[in-house]
Amino acid sequence: MRRRTVSPGSGLEETLDNLAAAAAARQEAPAAAAAPAAATGARAPQRERDSLQTEFAFELPRGYVDDEGQVHRHGTMRLATARDELRPQIDLRVKENPAYLSVVLLSQVITQLGTVTDVHAGIVERMYATDVAFLQDFYRRINSEGHTHAAVTCPLCHGSFEVDLSGGRLGES
């Protein structure tokens, strides 16, 4: 912030008018810059920085088999809220068996699994153990680390690189 010194004979009114005009110009400049971006359909850079990814796609290693025998491998998981973390604590199934906590928690944050949009604890119960373990790790990654990437080291050449755990088979690019 710039400090201005005003003496009695230097035109206090003129200085105040200049300050008001400068403040108005600063407020109009961002609006004028956003207008062309809105007209072309481009997103403002500030919006991109402020956006938060709340849903993450994944691909199960084996897949959930529904009652009709259809295999569902692709799905989406949303970020967990505090309510999602607290709600299983009062669930009677969790009180009877603490290991059931992950089943209830996963059923709350999985938003879609193939064509299934109503994912409940019964669906997670019927998943293969490898898929549940994958989803537990995926949940931990997106909620504590904020991404689905993992740093790995090649056992042969000892080169370090990053892989995306959200989908695709090993060796695919």
Side-chain angles (χ1 to χ4, degrees), residues 32-45:
T40 61
R43 294 182 68 194

Side-chain angles (χ1 to χ4, degrees), residues 61-114:
R62 298 204 185 273
Y64 164 69
V65 181
D66 64 15
D67 295 334
E68 288 81 39
Q70 185 177 1
V71 179
H72 304 274
R73 294 188 67 210
H74 298 276
T76 55
M77 183 184 290
R78 66 173 173 78
L79 289 176
T81 63
R83 177 176 283 191
D84 294 326
E85 296 268 342
L86 294 171
R87 196 188 234 164
Q89 301 297 329
I90 59 171
D91 191 301
L92 293 176
R93 299 168 294 188
V94 174
K95 285 185 177 183
E96 290 175 10
N97 182 4
Y100 202 75
L101 175 89
S102 65
V103 171
V104 174
L105 188 56
L106 289 173
S107 70
Q108 292 179 154
V109 296
I110 297 172
T111 57
Q112 186 173 354
L113 187 57

Side-chain angles (χ1 to χ4, degrees), residues 25-38:
R26 279 194 305 270
Q27 288 177 346
E28 290 174 10

